[in-house]
Amino acid sequence: MTKSLVRPQAALPVAADTVTLDVVVPVYNEERDLERCVRRLHHHLAEAMPYPSRITIADNASIDGTLAVANLLAAEFENVRVVHLDQKGRGRALRTVWSASDAQVVAYMDVDLSTDLNALLPLVAPLVSGHSDLAIGSRLSRSSRVVRGPKREVISRCYNLILRGALRAKFSDAQCGFKAMRTDVARQLLPLVEDTGWFFDTELLVLAERVGLRIHEVPVDWVDDPDSTVDIVATAVADLKGVVRVGRALATGKLPVAALRSSLGREPLVAGVPHGMVGQLVRFAVVGIGSTLAYMVLYLMLHSALGAQAANFTALLITAVLNTAANRAFTFGVRGSEGAARHQVQGLAVFAFGLLLTSGSLFALHHWAPGASRHVELAVLVIANLVATVSRFVALRWVFRHHTPNHSQSQGVDQ
């Protein structure tokens, strides 16, 4: 007797004995390859996987005999089930099954089984142990062994270079059809992933990385399927459109990255040191060096016309505005115009403290050494600014506190 079919958005049936791993095989018109895939995968899970496992065939609106083959396999094997969707889309199929799965870990692989199944246990084990949150197979690792044509090789490497440049992605291979994820994490991230097709993987990985989740990469042995029906050009165009959409969402603050970092981000590695502070300090230092150099140039340019105190005030005000804007975007990763004016006002309060410190230093210098040259004045002001820098960092973390929770990561992996 075949297992009952499940429509999109419907709750999946919960097994009597909860499984640890749910391997999803998304298919569309794969009647020829599906049986071979499921039998091989079923044998591997039984022989090599130490965790209770299940295979879920996710049929995305096939119009050939795929669904009939899937039902026969589900009738034959106890740990095989079928989910049928009335709409196409690999991403849609994965989101539907993963969101409702009762397994501890969900995974997926392509029906052609291009990836050697011996990589499945190394993929899943860090998720079961809690060491990592997501795991991906990588064909671009130095230790991976890959057989595929030059066209696919070039397209894959160029695409991943685009991801690194446009979205600052750090993972190596977004497109390999061999991934796994902790189910509790999946339920929180999947509602924010808009793509329902091939870009689904990339969007999920970018979001996970920005949230600060740990992504485990496994070098894989991979052999290209020469009979693949994937339209490479159409897929590449759709992926590039997805890159633009996700980049815009991150830049405008549409994606609630900070809130997710607060709820999902990993705890600090060292007690009392917020996760991500090291990266913030490095970026703050870069901005600070640039601001100091700009301040020095402005002070020397304005000194003759305005005098020491006025030159200090003007140079400090200009660099304070630029410093707040740069730290807002670069150090603390706050995007979009929302709250920008308020942040500048709060930044000016920080500027007032720096002005008090530097003006006080100038007053003290002129009192004790009235004949000091402008270069001596500048040296005293630089030292005073360095003293104020520590206070500025603490103050700016308070200014952007709602955007950078203490246990978050600004760009995913800062420590």
Side-chain angles (χ1 to χ4, degrees):
M1 181 177 67
T2 61
K3 296 176 175 61
S4 59
L5 303 183
V6 180
R7 298 292 174 181
Q9 309 305 323
L12 296 177
V14 179
D17 297 320
T18 302
V19 297
T20 300
L21 173 64
D22 191 355
V23 182
V24 181
V25 181
V27 290
Y28 172 72
N29 291 348
E30 299 287 356
E31 61 178 355
R32 186 183 65 177
D33 296 329
L34 180 58
E35 182 177 359
R36 175 183 59 85
C37 164
V38 171
R39 291 188 182 280
R40 182 178 162 194
L41 178 57
H42 181 272
H43 175 76
H44 181 83
L45 293 176
E47 296 296 322
M49 188 60 60
Y51 314 115
S53 304
R54 174 175 64 217
I55 301 171
T56 299
I57 304 170
D59 174 45
N60 346 197
S62 294
I63 56 176
D64 64 355
T66 298
L67 184 57
V69 174
N71 284 330
L72 289 174
L73 291 166
E76 180 179 350
F77 298 110
E78 183 179 356
N79 66 332
V80 176
R81 65 173 177 173
V82 181
V83 175
H84 175 70
L85 290 85
D86 292 327
Q87 293 177 287
K88 288 175 59 177
R90 183 184 68 165
R92 178 181 286 108
L94 292 176
R95 179 164 53 213
T96 300
V97 179
W98 281 6
S99 297
S101 180
D102 62 323
Q104 179 182 349
V105 173
V106 288
Y108 94 89
M109 60 185 62
D110 293 332
V111 69
D112 58 16
L113 295 184
S114 295
T115 305
D116 185 356
L117 290 177
N118 287 322
L120 184 57
L121 181 56
L123 186 83
V124 171
L127 307 183
V128 176
S129 68
H131 173 272
S132 300
D133 306 300
L134 286 87
I136 64 174
S138 175
R139 298 162 297 182
L140 303 181
S141 170
R142 290 184 178 180
S143 57
S144 298
R145 296 184 295 177
V146 176
V147 178
R148 62 176 166 183
K151 181 179 179 180
R152 284 180 174 267
E153 180 74 14
V154 171
I155 289 176
S156 179
R157 290 188 178 275
C158 288
Y159 178 64
N160 282 283
L161 283 175
I162 290 172
L163 292 181
R164 288 176 177 270
L167 299 178
R168 290 182 289 176
K170 297 181 177 65
F171 48 84
S172 66
D173 191 351
Q175 295 174 309
C176 182
F178 197 72
K179 296 181 174 69
M181 191 175 188
R182 280 176 36 210
T183 309
D184 58 332
V185 173
R187 291 195 184 105
Q188 297 191 61
L189 290 187
L190 291 178
L192 299 174
V193 179
E194 294 185 17
D195 192 82
T196 59
W198 294 95
F199 186 69
F200 172 88
D201 302 50
T202 301
E203 188 170 355
L204 179 64
L205 285 170
V206 169
L207 181 58
E209 192 171 73
R210 290 301 183 97
V211 166
L213 299 181
R214 177 172 290 163
I215 301 174
H216 175 67
E217 297 199 13
V218 178
V220 298
D221 297 338
W222 192 86
V223 180
D224 188 19
D225 178 11
D227 299 323
S228 174
T229 58
V230 177
D231 187 331
I232 298 178
V233 175
T235 301
V237 171
D239 285 346
L240 291 177
K241 290 180 179 178
V243 169
V244 173
R245 175 176 56 79
V246 171
R248 185 184 300 116
L250 290 170
T252 59
K254 179 181 178 182
L255 287 171
V257 173
L260 286 171
R261 280 201 301 257
S262 178
S263 62
L264 291 178
R266 288 179 171 266
E267 293 300 316
L269 296 177
V270 180
V273 179
H275 204 126
M277 182 179 279
V278 172
Q280 286 182 354
L281 281 169
V282 170
R283 293 188 293 274
F284 180 80
V286 171
V287 173
I289 291 172
S291 297
T292 300
L293 292 175
Y295 169 83
M296 292 170 64
V297 171
L298 286 171
Y299 179 81
L300 291 175
M301 291 174 57
L302 297 172
H303 186 278
S304 298
L306 302 179
Q309 290 287 7
N312 173 58
F313 173 83
T314 305
L316 197 61
L317 177 61
I318 293 173
T319 54
V321 172
L322 297 176
N323 183 282
T324 300
N327 277 308
R328 182 178 189 268
F330 182 58
T331 303
F332 299 101
V334 181
R335 301 289 190 268
S337 58
E338 182 181 357
R342 183 180 71 256
H343 294 154
Q344 280 293 350
V345 171
Q346 293 169 327
L348 290 176
V350 179
F351 151 77
F353 175 77
L355 177 64
L356 178 65
L357 187 60
T358 54
S359 297
S361 299
L362 272 180
F363 179 81
L365 174 65
H366 291 158
H367 177 74
W368 294 105
S373 68
R374 72 178 62 179
H375 294 93
V376 173
E377 293 174 346
L378 182 60
V380 170
L381 289 172
V382 169
I383 294 173
N385 270 311
L386 289 176
V387 174
T389 295
V390 176
S391 300
R392 183 182 299 118
F393 179 73
V394 175
L396 288 179
R397 277 185 62 85
W398 177 83
V399 168
F400 301 113
R401 63 195 182 282
H402 297 305
H403 300 270
T404 54
N406 284 341
H407 55 286
S408 69
Q409 297 182 46
S410 180
Q411 298 300 333
V413 185
D414 286 331
Q415 284 185 324

PDB file of all heavy atoms in Angstrom, residues 261-262 266-268 272-277 280 397-398 400-409:
ATOM      1  N   ARG A 261      20.380  37.103  13.969  1.00  0.00           N
ATOM      2  CA  ARG A 261      21.644  36.920  14.684  1.00  0.00           C
ATOM      3  C   ARG A 261      21.390  36.809  16.183  1.00  0.00           C
ATOM      4  O   ARG A 261      22.041  36.049  16.894  1.00  0.00           O
ATOM      5  CB  ARG A 261      22.580  38.100  14.407  1.00  0.00           C
ATOM      6  CG  ARG A 261      23.309  38.034  13.085  1.00  0.00           C
ATOM      7  CD  ARG A 261      24.552  38.898  13.092  1.00  0.00           C
ATOM      8  NE  ARG A 261      24.253  40.290  13.371  1.00  0.00           N
ATOM      9  CZ  ARG A 261      24.220  41.248  12.467  1.00  0.00           C
ATOM     10  NH1 ARG A 261      24.453  40.964  11.204  1.00  0.00           N
ATOM     11  NH2 ARG A 261      23.963  42.491  12.801  1.00  0.00           N
ATOM     12  N   SER A 262      20.431  37.584  16.665  1.00  0.00           N
ATOM     13  CA  SER A 262      20.115  37.576  18.091  1.00  0.00           C
ATOM     14  C   SER A 262      19.535  36.243  18.529  1.00  0.00           C
ATOM     15  O   SER A 262      19.842  35.740  19.611  1.00  0.00           O
ATOM     16  CB  SER A 262      19.133  38.710  18.410  1.00  0.00           C
ATOM     17  OG  SER A 262      18.768  38.702  19.764  1.00  0.00           O
ATOM     18  N   ARG A 266      25.604  32.066  17.307  1.00  0.00           N
ATOM     19  CA  ARG A 266      26.287  31.245  18.302  1.00  0.00           C
ATOM     20  C   ARG A 266      26.809  32.093  19.464  1.00  0.00           C
ATOM     21  O   ARG A 266      27.073  33.278  19.303  1.00  0.00           O
ATOM     22  CB  ARG A 266      27.432  30.473  17.647  1.00  0.00           C
ATOM     23  CG  ARG A 266      26.903  29.351  16.748  1.00  0.00           C
ATOM     24  CD  ARG A 266      28.009  28.582  16.079  1.00  0.00           C
ATOM     25  NE  ARG A 266      27.434  27.414  15.428  1.00  0.00           N
ATOM     26  CZ  ARG A 266      27.360  26.203  15.986  1.00  0.00           C
ATOM     27  NH1 ARG A 266      27.861  26.018  17.201  1.00  0.00           N
ATOM     28  NH2 ARG A 266      26.819  25.190  15.354  1.00  0.00           N
ATOM     29  N   GLU A 267      26.960  31.460  20.603  1.00  0.00           N
ATOM     30  CA  GLU A 267      27.395  32.160  21.814  1.00  0.00           C
ATOM     31  C   GLU A 267      28.858  32.582  21.700  1.00  0.00           C
ATOM     32  O   GLU A 267      29.605  32.049  20.880  1.00  0.00           O
ATOM     33  CB  GLU A 267      27.217  31.244  23.034  1.00  0.00           C
ATOM     34  CG  GLU A 267      25.763  30.956  23.359  1.00  0.00           C
ATOM     35  CD  GLU A 267      24.983  32.212  23.663  1.00  0.00           C
ATOM     36  OE1 GLU A 267      25.509  33.068  24.402  1.00  0.00           O
ATOM     37  OE2 GLU A 267      23.858  32.356  23.157  1.00  0.00           O
ATOM     38  N   PRO A 268      29.297  33.553  22.516  1.00  0.00           N
ATOM     39  CA  PRO A 268      30.697  33.994  22.465  1.00  0.00           C
ATOM     40  C   PRO A 268      31.660  32.846  22.715  1.00  0.00           C
ATOM     41  O   PRO A 268      31.372  31.934  23.480  1.00  0.00           O
ATOM     42  CB  PRO A 268      30.777  35.032  23.597  1.00  0.00           C
ATOM     43  CG  PRO A 268      29.369  35.475  23.823  1.00  0.00           C
ATOM     44  CD  PRO A 268      28.514  34.293  23.508  1.00  0.00           C
ATOM     45  N   GLY A 272      32.227  36.944  28.168  1.00  0.00           N
ATOM     46  CA  GLY A 272      32.384  38.377  28.322  1.00  0.00           C
ATOM     47  C   GLY A 272      32.843  39.102  27.068  1.00  0.00           C
ATOM     48  O   GLY A 272      32.847  40.320  27.025  1.00  0.00           O
ATOM     49  N   VAL A 273      33.245  38.325  26.023  1.00  0.00           N
ATOM     50  CA  VAL A 273      33.645  38.931  24.756  1.00  0.00           C
ATOM     51  C   VAL A 273      32.595  38.592  23.719  1.00  0.00           C
ATOM     52  O   VAL A 273      32.511  37.462  23.270  1.00  0.00           O
ATOM     53  CB  VAL A 273      35.026  38.410  24.285  1.00  0.00           C
ATOM     54  CG1 VAL A 273      35.406  39.041  22.943  1.00  0.00           C
ATOM     55  CG2 VAL A 273      36.082  38.704  25.331  1.00  0.00           C
ATOM     56  N   PRO A 274      31.749  39.531  23.358  1.00  0.00           N
ATOM     57  CA  PRO A 274      30.682  39.252  22.400  1.00  0.00           C
ATOM     58  C   PRO A 274      31.231  38.696  21.095  1.00  0.00           C
ATOM     59  O   PRO A 274      32.249  39.172  20.589  1.00  0.00           O
ATOM     60  CB  PRO A 274      30.025  40.618  22.185  1.00  0.00           C
ATOM     61  CG  PRO A 274      30.347  41.380  23.433  1.00  0.00           C
ATOM     62  CD  PRO A 274      31.712  40.911  23.847  1.00  0.00           C
ATOM     63  N   HIS A 275      30.549  37.703  20.563  1.00  0.00           N
ATOM     64  CA  HIS A 275      30.966  37.103  19.309  1.00  0.00           C
ATOM     65  C   HIS A 275      30.863  38.150  18.206  1.00  0.00           C
ATOM     66  O   HIS A 275      29.836  38.762  18.011  1.00  0.00           O
ATOM     67  CB  HIS A 275      30.046  35.927  18.979  1.00  0.00           C
ATOM     68  CG  HIS A 275      30.688  34.930  18.076  1.00  0.00           C
ATOM     69  ND1 HIS A 275      30.756  33.596  18.384  1.00  0.00           N
ATOM     70  CD2 HIS A 275      31.295  35.067  16.883  1.00  0.00           C
ATOM     71  CE1 HIS A 275      31.372  32.955  17.418  1.00  0.00           C
ATOM     72  NE2 HIS A 275      31.702  33.833  16.487  1.00  0.00           N
ATOM     73  N   GLY A 276      31.949  38.344  17.480  1.00  0.00           N
ATOM     74  CA  GLY A 276      31.959  39.334  16.414  1.00  0.00           C
ATOM     75  C   GLY A 276      32.661  40.616  16.792  1.00  0.00           C
ATOM     76  O   GLY A 276      32.936  41.434  15.921  1.00  0.00           O
ATOM     77  N   MET A 277      32.990  40.806  18.088  1.00  0.00           N
ATOM     78  CA  MET A 277      33.615  42.058  18.492  1.00  0.00           C
ATOM     79  C   MET A 277      35.009  42.201  17.891  1.00  0.00           C
ATOM     80  O   MET A 277      35.442  43.325  17.584  1.00  0.00           O
ATOM     81  CB  MET A 277      33.687  42.173  20.012  1.00  0.00           C
ATOM     82  CG  MET A 277      34.293  43.505  20.472  1.00  0.00           C
ATOM     83  SD  MET A 277      34.374  43.708  22.265  1.00  0.00           S
ATOM     84  CE  MET A 277      32.700  44.230  22.607  1.00  0.00           C
ATOM     85  N   GLN A 280      34.565  43.653  14.591  1.00  0.00           N
ATOM     86  CA  GLN A 280      34.144  45.043  14.728  1.00  0.00           C
ATOM     87  C   GLN A 280      35.329  45.938  15.082  1.00  0.00           C
ATOM     88  O   GLN A 280      35.465  47.042  14.545  1.00  0.00           O
ATOM     89  CB  GLN A 280      33.063  45.162  15.796  1.00  0.00           C
ATOM     90  CG  GLN A 280      31.701  44.643  15.365  1.00  0.00           C
ATOM     91  CD  GLN A 280      30.649  44.838  16.441  1.00  0.00           C
ATOM     92  OE1 GLN A 280      30.963  45.256  17.554  1.00  0.00           O
ATOM     93  NE2 GLN A 280      29.411  44.534  16.102  1.00  0.00           N
ATOM     94  N   ARG A 397      28.881  51.314  19.801  1.00  0.00           N
ATOM     95  CA  ARG A 397      28.217  50.019  20.017  1.00  0.00           C
ATOM     96  C   ARG A 397      26.870  50.231  20.709  1.00  0.00           C
ATOM     97  O   ARG A 397      25.908  49.504  20.457  1.00  0.00           O
ATOM     98  CB  ARG A 397      29.100  49.092  20.865  1.00  0.00           C
ATOM     99  CG  ARG A 397      30.145  48.349  20.059  1.00  0.00           C
ATOM    100  CD  ARG A 397      30.917  47.364  20.913  1.00  0.00           C
ATOM    101  NE  ARG A 397      30.051  46.333  21.474  1.00  0.00           N
ATOM    102  CZ  ARG A 397      29.711  45.218  20.830  1.00  0.00           C
ATOM    103  NH1 ARG A 397      30.133  45.006  19.608  1.00  0.00           N
ATOM    104  NH2 ARG A 397      28.943  44.326  21.413  1.00  0.00           N
ATOM    105  N   TRP A 398      26.805  51.236  21.567  1.00  0.00           N
ATOM    106  CA  TRP A 398      25.521  51.554  22.210  1.00  0.00           C
ATOM    107  C   TRP A 398      24.563  52.186  21.203  1.00  0.00           C
ATOM    108  O   TRP A 398      23.381  51.864  21.167  1.00  0.00           O
ATOM    109  CB  TRP A 398      25.750  52.513  23.380  1.00  0.00           C
ATOM    110  CG  TRP A 398      24.469  52.941  24.030  1.00  0.00           C
ATOM    111  CD1 TRP A 398      23.759  52.263  24.982  1.00  0.00           C
ATOM    112  CD2 TRP A 398      23.725  54.137  23.757  1.00  0.00           C
ATOM    113  NE1 TRP A 398      22.620  52.956  25.321  1.00  0.00           N
ATOM    114  CE2 TRP A 398      22.574  54.107  24.577  1.00  0.00           C
ATOM    115  CE3 TRP A 398      23.912  55.204  22.906  1.00  0.00           C
ATOM    116  CZ2 TRP A 398      21.629  55.127  24.564  1.00  0.00           C
ATOM    117  CZ3 TRP A 398      22.973  56.221  22.884  1.00  0.00           C
ATOM    118  CH2 TRP A 398      21.847  56.171  23.718  1.00  0.00           C
ATOM    119  N   PHE A 400      24.374  51.670  18.021  1.00  0.00           N
ATOM    120  CA  PHE A 400      23.880  50.654  17.098  1.00  0.00           C
ATOM    121  C   PHE A 400      23.505  49.364  17.815  1.00  0.00           C
ATOM    122  O   PHE A 400      23.529  48.290  17.238  1.00  0.00           O
ATOM    123  CB  PHE A 400      24.941  50.368  16.031  1.00  0.00           C
ATOM    124  CG  PHE A 400      25.332  51.576  15.232  1.00  0.00           C
ATOM    125  CD1 PHE A 400      26.603  52.121  15.341  1.00  0.00           C
ATOM    126  CD2 PHE A 400      24.419  52.185  14.387  1.00  0.00           C
ATOM    127  CE1 PHE A 400      26.964  53.245  14.612  1.00  0.00           C
ATOM    128  CE2 PHE A 400      24.769  53.313  13.656  1.00  0.00           C
ATOM    129  CZ  PHE A 400      26.040  53.852  13.770  1.00  0.00           C
ATOM    130  N   ARG A 401      23.145  49.485  19.090  1.00  0.00           N
ATOM    131  CA  ARG A 401      22.898  48.291  19.908  1.00  0.00           C
ATOM    132  C   ARG A 401      21.740  47.446  19.380  1.00  0.00           C
ATOM    133  O   ARG A 401      21.737  46.224  19.525  1.00  0.00           O
ATOM    134  CB  ARG A 401      22.626  48.689  21.370  1.00  0.00           C
ATOM    135  CG  ARG A 401      21.376  49.542  21.555  1.00  0.00           C
ATOM    136  CD  ARG A 401      21.371  50.206  22.925  1.00  0.00           C
ATOM    137  NE  ARG A 401      20.165  50.995  23.170  1.00  0.00           N
ATOM    138  CZ  ARG A 401      19.953  52.212  22.677  1.00  0.00           C
ATOM    139  NH1 ARG A 401      20.868  52.756  21.895  1.00  0.00           N
ATOM    140  NH2 ARG A 401      18.840  52.857  22.944  1.00  0.00           N
ATOM    141  N   HIS A 402      20.696  48.065  18.804  1.00  0.00           N
ATOM    142  CA  HIS A 402      19.540  47.316  18.315  1.00  0.00           C
ATOM    143  C   HIS A 402      19.842  46.609  17.004  1.00  0.00           C
ATOM    144  O   HIS A 402      19.096  45.742  16.573  1.00  0.00           O
ATOM    145  CB  HIS A 402      18.346  48.243  18.125  1.00  0.00           C
ATOM    146  CG  HIS A 402      17.875  48.864  19.400  1.00  0.00           C
ATOM    147  ND1 HIS A 402      17.523  48.107  20.500  1.00  0.00           N
ATOM    148  CD2 HIS A 402      17.726  50.174  19.755  1.00  0.00           C
ATOM    149  CE1 HIS A 402      17.153  48.933  21.485  1.00  0.00           C
ATOM    150  NE2 HIS A 402      17.272  50.175  21.054  1.00  0.00           N
ATOM    151  N   HIS A 403      20.958  46.997  16.380  1.00  0.00           N
ATOM    152  CA  HIS A 403      21.314  46.387  15.102  1.00  0.00           C
ATOM    153  C   HIS A 403      22.427  45.383  15.254  1.00  0.00           C
ATOM    154  O   HIS A 403      22.611  44.534  14.394  1.00  0.00           O
ATOM    155  CB  HIS A 403      21.765  47.463  14.105  1.00  0.00           C
ATOM    156  CG  HIS A 403      20.699  48.479  13.832  1.00  0.00           C
ATOM    157  ND1 HIS A 403      19.787  48.324  12.817  1.00  0.00           N
ATOM    158  CD2 HIS A 403      20.389  49.639  14.454  1.00  0.00           C
ATOM    159  CE1 HIS A 403      18.959  49.362  12.810  1.00  0.00           C
ATOM    160  NE2 HIS A 403      19.303  50.174  13.795  1.00  0.00           N
ATOM    161  N   THR A 404      23.185  45.472  16.342  1.00  0.00           N
ATOM    162  CA  THR A 404      24.300  44.551  16.549  1.00  0.00           C
ATOM    163  C   THR A 404      24.221  43.969  17.943  1.00  0.00           C
ATOM    164  O   THR A 404      24.883  44.423  18.862  1.00  0.00           O
ATOM    165  CB  THR A 404      25.652  45.283  16.395  1.00  0.00           C
ATOM    166  OG1 THR A 404      25.649  46.420  17.279  1.00  0.00           O
ATOM    167  CG2 THR A 404      25.860  45.753  14.982  1.00  0.00           C
ATOM    168  N   PRO A 405      23.405  42.926  18.151  1.00  0.00           N
ATOM    169  CA  PRO A 405      23.295  42.300  19.448  1.00  0.00           C
ATOM    170  C   PRO A 405      24.649  41.799  19.919  1.00  0.00           C
ATOM    171  O   PRO A 405      25.503  41.425  19.123  1.00  0.00           O
ATOM    172  CB  PRO A 405      22.325  41.128  19.189  1.00  0.00           C
ATOM    173  CG  PRO A 405      21.575  41.507  17.955  1.00  0.00           C
ATOM    174  CD  PRO A 405      22.522  42.315  17.152  1.00  0.00           C
ATOM    175  N   ASN A 406      24.789  41.746  21.233  1.00  0.00           N
ATOM    176  CA  ASN A 406      26.091  41.434  21.809  1.00  0.00           C
ATOM    177  C   ASN A 406      26.648  40.097  21.376  1.00  0.00           C
ATOM    178  O   ASN A 406      27.845  39.906  21.325  1.00  0.00           O
ATOM    179  CB  ASN A 406      26.006  41.459  23.350  1.00  0.00           C
ATOM    180  CG  ASN A 406      25.967  42.867  23.876  1.00  0.00           C
ATOM    181  OD1 ASN A 406      26.335  43.802  23.178  1.00  0.00           O
ATOM    182  ND2 ASN A 406      25.492  43.021  25.095  1.00  0.00           N
ATOM    183  N   HIS A 407      25.782  39.124  21.097  1.00  0.00           N
ATOM    184  CA  HIS A 407      26.298  37.808  20.754  1.00  0.00           C
ATOM    185  C   HIS A 407      26.162  37.522  19.274  1.00  0.00           C
ATOM    186  O   HIS A 407      26.098  36.406  18.839  1.00  0.00           O
ATOM    187  CB  HIS A 407      25.594  36.724  21.547  1.00  0.00           C
ATOM    188  CG  HIS A 407      24.097  36.757  21.415  1.00  0.00           C
ATOM    189  ND1 HIS A 407      23.323  37.693  22.027  1.00  0.00           N
ATOM    190  CD2 HIS A 407      23.234  35.980  20.704  1.00  0.00           C
ATOM    191  CE1 HIS A 407      22.045  37.488  21.756  1.00  0.00           C
ATOM    192  NE2 HIS A 407      21.977  36.454  20.927  1.00  0.00           N
ATOM    193  N   SER A 408      26.144  38.564  18.464  1.00  0.00           N
ATOM    194  CA  SER A 408      26.017  38.376  17.023  1.00  0.00           C
ATOM    195  C   SER A 408      27.347  38.495  16.340  1.00  0.00           C
ATOM    196  O   SER A 408      28.348  38.881  16.902  1.00  0.00           O
ATOM    197  CB  SER A 408      25.055  39.406  16.431  1.00  0.00           C
ATOM    198  OG  SER A 408      25.646  40.678  16.489  1.00  0.00           O
ATOM    199  N   GLN A 409      27.301  38.187  15.018  1.00  0.00           N
ATOM    200  CA  GLN A 409      28.447  38.385  14.167  1.00  0.00           C
ATOM    201  C   GLN A 409      28.059  39.379  13.106  1.00  0.00           C
ATOM    202  O   GLN A 409      27.016  39.274  12.497  1.00  0.00           O
ATOM    203  CB  GLN A 409      28.838  37.086  13.477  1.00  0.00           C
ATOM    204  CG  GLN A 409      29.271  36.015  14.459  1.00  0.00           C
ATOM    205  CD  GLN A 409      29.700  34.783  13.709  1.00  0.00           C
ATOM    206  OE1 GLN A 409      30.422  34.861  12.761  1.00  0.00           O
ATOM    207  NE2 GLN A 409      29.243  33.652  14.134  1.00  0.00           N
TER     208      GLN A 409
END
